[in-house]
Amino acid sequence: MSLQGKARLGVLGSGKGSNFVAIAEACRRGLLDAEVAVVLSDVPEAGILERAAERGIPARYLEPGRFRTRLDEEAEQRYVAALQEAGVDWVVLAGFMRILKGTFLRAFPLQVVNIHPSLLPSFPGLEAWKQALDYGVKVTGVTVHLVDQGIDTGPIVLQEPVRVHEDDTPASLHARIQEVEHRIYPEALQLLVHGRIRVEGRRTRRVD
Ligand code: GRF
């Protein structure tokens, strides 16, 4: 944490950045004792970069390298260097569409957080709300978890269910899921930055 006692967050995203906005607002309103120190994106025109710039938060595109679904080794080093320069305590994935591997995760052990739009371990991977509709489940939800070497497999911090309606479309279900995301991501981060989540293997425990 910085001298002011506020945790410094580095947010990574590839999309419109609505979770970033929810987190930045929670910080501004004093609901999350943190500040967003930097926003990085692998997509030059991503909305998240604009949303950050509007708020005066340093934001930049960083080249992801030669692979489509993950950062290559040099790109991982670039991202780690940018986050370390910004002095971040936590790396917050908010719609970052690339897998992070060894170099990155070793630099931030148990300090990388992700939000996933399903109740993991159901429906890992892309468009989880659509997977849920296609499968026909009656309940799906949101998971906040720490990131490990797998895809959407790390220790779970918080989960909340979202009911699937009979007339849901992918868009309507995703919209309800995102409402929950915007509430529970700041809540989960508040627990993490205050050291109130203890990790015991795959399980996490809330401590006071
Ligand atoms: C969210 O649905 C999140 O669960 C998933 O990517 C989406 C990002 O949305 N990992 P946004 O860019 O925060 O609006």
Side-chain angles (χ1 to χ4, degrees), residues 84-99:
Q84 286 176 340
E85 270 162 37
V88 311
D89 305 297
W90 293 90
V91 178
V92 177
L93 306 184
F96 191 62
M97 301 307 283
R98 288 172 190 268
I99 300 156

Side-chain angles (χ1 to χ4, degrees), residues 42-54:
D42 59 329
V43 178
E45 65 280 7
I48 192 170
L49 291 176
E50 280 176 50
R51 300 287 84 73
E54 286 163 7

Side-chain angles (χ1 to χ4, degrees), residues 13-21 48 93-97 114-118 125 129 142-143 152 174 177-178 181-182 185:
S14 312
K16 63 184 195 292
S18 68
N19 278 286
F20 156 72
V21 169
I48 192 170
L93 306 184
F96 191 62
M97 301 307 283
N114 186 40
I115 189 155
H116 184 78
S118 75
W129 61 90
V142 176
T143 303
D152 302 322
H174 190 211
I177 284 174
Q178 286 226 290
E181 290 184 342
H182 300 160
Y185 213 178

Side-chain angles (χ1 to χ4, degrees), residues 12 14 40-42 62-80 83 93 96-104:
L12 270 52
S14 312
L40 302 175
S41 181
D42 59 329
L62 270 190
E63 269 185 51
R66 61 190 189 283
F67 303 124
R68 201 173 49 82
T69 56
R70 65 182 174 93
L71 297 178
D72 71 18
E73 179 77 9
E74 291 93 70
E76 285 209 334
Q77 283 165 10
R78 273 196 292 282
Y79 275 74
V80 167
L83 292 162
L93 306 184
F96 191 62
M97 301 307 283
R98 288 172 190 268
I99 300 156
L100 300 169
K101 287 291 182 188
T103 300
F104 193 100

Side-chain angles (χ1 to χ4, degrees), residues 101-171:
K101 287 291 182 188
T103 300
F104 193 100
L105 296 177
R106 274 192 297 277
F108 296 102
L110 290 177
Q111 291 162 289
V112 183
V113 194
N114 186 40
I115 189 155
H116 184 78
S118 75
L119 292 178
L120 289 171
S122 292
F123 313 127
L126 297 176
E127 296 191 319
W129 61 90
K130 195 164 176 299
Q131 294 185 53
L133 268 185
D134 291 347
Y135 195 94
V137 294
K138 303 294 187 194
V139 179
T140 183
V142 176
T143 303
V144 178
H145 66 96
L146 298 173
V147 176
D148 66 8
Q149 295 270 358
I151 297 177
D152 302 322
T153 52
I156 291 169
V157 177
L158 280 185
Q159 286 189 303
E160 190 165 309
V162 173
R163 253 175 216 293
V164 180
H165 299 165
E166 284 177 5
D167 58 356
D168 259 331
T169 61

